[in-house]
Amino acid sequence: MFNMTKPSFVTSTCLLACSLTSISSIYAAEPLNVLLFTADDLGYEAITQKPDLAPNLNRFAQESISFERAHMNMPICMPSRSIIATGRYGHRSGMMGFFHMKKPIPTVMQTFRDATYKVGVLGKVNHSTPDEEFEWDYTKDYPDLGAGRDPEKYYQYSVEFIKQCRQSRQPFYFMVNSHDPHRPFHNPDKPLRNAAKPSKLYSPEDVVIPAFLPDLPDIRVEMSHYYNSVRRLDDTFGRVMDALKESGMAGNTLVLFVSDNGSPFPFAKANAYLPSTLTNCFVRWPGVVKPGRTDNQHFVSSVDFFPTFLDAARISNPGGMDGRSMVPLLRGETDSGRKVVFTQIDYKIGGPASPMRAIENERYRYIFNPWSGKDYTYRNNNEGLTMKAMDEAAAHDSYVAERVRVYRHRDLQEFYDLQADPGCTKNLINNTSMETNIVAMRNQLQTWMNETSDPLLLAFVMRDDHLKMKQALLDHYPAKESMMTEKQLAKMKARSAQRKARSKQKRKQRSNP
């Protein structure tokens, strides 16, 4: 489907998979443990186009089922993790950005704790805890983990947590979040303080430029630093799997690996394109999942993880979720209801809202951008040296200039043939031969927006009348402050007051040298 190079797996790992399958029978009568490992900003294309970047993940994939149509419903850090935690779309939980929950909603960590599980988290603790009042049984964060980038520290704390679970005779729900390959990348000339060195370094010549970016020298440089961070992520994952294996509990533990969103470059993370939402998704469940199997027929997404974990662990589902259990797929069954996936962006970490809605089927992707146009300039914190190189090249390269325009201002509607253009670089929205497909997908998207009470619905309905569409946004789309908890509002006001005080002090110093 995606016309990307498949990774070359190490076949000898089947021996481990077989041993884990036999071990699983020992634990058949015991509660199932769940280990969720998330990468931070790992693009799907990274380890499919460059298999040697991630040898540990490649081995793990051979022991697992790999979902080729796995997506993150809201591909940006904290909002993405809120969907994992609640099994609800962002506009259904109220967490449409970097917000905590304002109303009580069942969460995966609380539900497992209520079932007598011990719940632990390594890294990204604030982003992974939608309920501000919830306290995990075991937490280690950024400073404890070598800036979230030290494989040995992840190993040590994984050993410690699992040991505590054995001593207390409790099953576990363990969320392990690497801070790699999030920016800042590993630049060998300017390494991040306290972070470990990757097991292998890459040069600009090693880079495979993804289809959604132009091939420019400075992009190759920055991409090589990103590769270094991807390799360190893989090192971290390998050490966590070592800790699990050494504990003797791997045979009774479901492990799911996923990235919270696409790579931290223009057109990927914090957008609505295929490279934004598509994720590597590997699930190992000894005794249930057939090792080395690939599912390229069914769409699965982050709203499905919470109900899947509960179903696998035989814990009662509290209800209210938008996702559905993947357990039938893990067992090798089919599910006729997984023909499309819906994804979105609302609020980034800073700046005004930039709402996007998208639907994807087996071949096409349709995107709606009600903020598009010359009056709005899209920006995020994933631009770095890559966007600078594109801005400079745009002055003399018409292709790059058009890519910069699309990135900054967008078109109201976008439509892509993913079979021919997985990088989403050729907008076919005005192609008359695609009209039937476009109308069908728009109708499906509108039905979903209506069924999920999406506040963007009226703007979508009014898309052909610019003024009415903008008015619908003003009238129905929630303001950032309306979604913040009292604690968040207080912190925001305090930061604002501090900025004003510093600005006032600087003005005073300039006027009184």
Side-chain angles (χ1 to χ4, degrees):
M1 174 185 174
F2 303 114
N3 197 26
M4 294 180 176
T5 303
K6 302 291 291 181
S8 57
F9 298 122
V10 181
T11 55
S12 62
T13 56
C14 287
L15 295 174
L16 174 60
C18 294
S19 65
L20 292 181
T21 300
S22 62
I23 291 171
S24 68
S25 61
I26 301 173
Y27 297 95
E30 296 184 8
L32 180 71
N33 303 303
V34 175
L35 194 159
L36 169 64
F37 190 108
T38 76
D40 198 356
D41 295 5
L42 175 67
Y44 175 90
E45 70 285 340
I47 64 175
T48 56
Q49 292 183 339
K50 191 74 174 175
D52 73 311
L53 269 178
N56 289 305
L57 282 169
N58 287 341
R59 283 192 291 271
F60 182 76
Q62 187 67 11
E63 302 160 12
S64 311
I65 179 173
S66 304
F67 288 96
E68 294 294 294
R69 290 180 174 174
H71 292 261
M72 304 308 284
N73 302 104
M74 191 177 293
I76 180 171
C77 299
M78 187 172 179
S80 177
R81 296 171 195 279
S82 296
I83 291 177
I84 292 175
T86 64
R88 304 187 189 206
Y89 296 115
H91 57 278
R92 286 255 299 114
S93 70
M95 290 177 283
M96 297 168 67
F98 287 72
F99 315 125
H100 291 283
M101 64 171 63
K102 291 187 68 174
K103 59 183 179 180
I105 298 173
T107 61
V108 63
M109 58 284 292
Q110 184 64 61
T111 304
F112 270 97
R113 174 182 282 166
D114 291 344
T116 72
Y117 275 62
K118 197 175 185 69
V119 294
V121 61
L122 300 185
K124 312 293 289 188
V125 176
N126 181 60
H127 283 188
S128 303
T129 315
D131 182 355
E132 288 178 304
E133 305 303 319
F134 183 84
E135 293 185 7
W136 298 75
D137 298 320
Y138 185 92
T139 61
K140 298 295 177 182
D141 213 347
Y142 184 89
D144 307 305
L145 299 164
R149 295 166 171 86
D150 189 325
E152 291 308 308
K153 292 186 182 298
Y154 275 88
Y155 167 78
Q156 293 164 12
Y157 290 125
S158 295
V159 168
E160 183 175 272
F161 173 70
I162 297 173
K163 181 180 179 181
Q164 288 183 11
C165 295
R166 291 186 70 98
Q167 291 173 340
S168 64
R169 297 189 177 183
Q170 289 176 273
F172 61 77
Y173 174 79
F174 194 22
M175 186 177 191
V176 181
N177 302 304
S178 171
H179 287 250
D180 273 324
H182 194 288
R183 294 173 183 269
F185 306 140
H186 180 77
N187 180 346
D189 297 327
K190 297 179 182 179
L192 182 64
R193 184 180 179 184
N194 297 326
K197 182 180 178 181
S199 60
K200 183 176 181 179
L201 298 178
Y202 296 84
S203 70
E205 292 72 34
D206 295 322
V207 166
V208 178
I209 297 293
F212 55 90
L213 293 175
D215 191 348
L216 301 171
D218 282 350
I219 292 180
R220 284 188 164 273
V221 170
E222 186 165 60
M223 189 70 69
S224 70
H225 298 161
Y226 167 69
Y227 275 20
N228 295 338
S229 293
V230 171
R231 182 56 175 245
R232 188 170 53 198
L233 153 72
D234 186 73
D235 297 339
T236 298
F237 178 78
R239 292 302 281 150
V240 172
M241 291 301 100
D242 287 343
L244 179 62
K245 180 181 177 182
E246 292 166 11
S247 74
M249 300 180 76
N252 195 42
T253 301
L254 183 154
V255 181
L256 188 153
F257 172 87
V258 75
S259 178
D260 60 346
N261 44 248
S263 59
F265 295 99
F267 298 104
K269 174 183 176 180
N271 286 281
Y273 299 110
L274 178 64
S276 309
T277 67
L278 186 65
T279 180
N280 302 104
C281 182
F282 309 134
V283 184
R284 186 178 74 188
W285 186 2
V288 176
V289 165
K290 181 180 179 181
R293 192 162 63 86
T294 296
D295 185 321
N296 56 14
Q297 301 297 316
H298 300 94
F299 281 98
V300 298
S301 57
S302 43
V303 290
D304 297 323
F305 298 162
F306 185 3
T308 298
F309 295 153
L310 295 184
D311 191 9
R314 299 182 181 180
I315 295 173
S316 178
N317 188 315
M321 298 184 203
D322 297 310
R324 294 184 294 128
S325 173
M326 297 158 53
V327 166
L329 303 182
L330 299 180
R331 290 175 175 152
E333 301 169 13
T334 58
D335 185 342
S336 60
R338 294 184 177 276
K339 300 295 187 182
V340 299
V341 67
F342 300 97
T343 56
Q344 65 189 95
I345 284 290
D346 288 287
Y347 283 95
K348 305 183 299 298
I349 195 167
S354 54
M356 312 171 196
R357 296 293 183 268
I359 176 175
E360 180 176 319
N361 62 23
E362 72 281 357
R363 176 144 185 196
Y364 302 108
R365 174 169 282 229
Y366 169 85
I367 303 173
F368 173 60
N369 306 304
W371 53 269
S372 65
K374 295 180 180 179
D375 295 337
Y376 186 109
T377 300
Y378 176 88
R379 301 181 187 280
N380 65 35
N381 61 351
N382 309 312
E383 299 179 2
L385 188 61
T386 293
M387 197 66 214
K388 181 181 178 183
M390 290 175 64
D391 285 335
E392 291 174 352
H396 54 80
D397 186 317
S398 59
Y399 172 76
V400 177
E402 175 59 12
R403 293 298 285 156
V404 170
R405 182 202 69 79
V406 170
Y407 180 72
R408 292 298 189 202
H409 304 291
R410 308 298 161 92
D411 297 311
L412 177 63
Q413 300 176 84
E414 300 177 78
F415 189 78
Y416 298 99
D417 180 345
L418 303 178
Q419 182 173 304
D421 180 25
C424 297
T425 62
K426 299 172 184 176
N427 187 3
L428 304 176
I429 195 65
N430 295 318
N431 187 323
T432 56
S433 67
M434 295 290 175
E435 185 175 359
T436 299
N437 293 308
I438 292 170
V439 170
M441 294 186 77
R442 275 197 300 231
N443 289 340
Q444 284 181 289
L445 180 59
Q446 183 169 327
T447 297
W448 173 79
M449 295 172 79
N450 183 57
E451 292 175 346
T452 60
S453 301
D454 191 337
L456 209 60
L457 174 61
L458 190 56
F460 182 71
V461 172
M462 299 294 180
R463 64 187 175 274
D464 293 329
D465 187 318
H466 181 79
L467 292 178
K468 288 183 177 180
M469 182 186 71
K470 294 296 183 183
Q471 190 60 49
L473 279 174
L474 290 173
D475 293 342
H476 298 281
Y477 192 78
K480 180 183 294 187
E481 291 75 10
S482 71
M483 291 181 286
M484 290 184 172
T485 64
E486 291 299 322
K487 285 185 179 180
Q488 285 182 296
L489 284 170
K491 290 178 182 178
M492 183 182 72
K493 290 177 181 177
R495 287 194 295 267
S496 178
Q498 290 172 354
R499 286 194 297 268
K500 288 180 180 178
R502 287 195 296 266
S503 180
K504 182 178 180 181
Q505 182 64 26
K506 289 179 180 179
R507 288 196 302 269
K508 184 177 180 180
Q509 290 173 348
R510 285 195 296 268
S511 61
N512 297 290

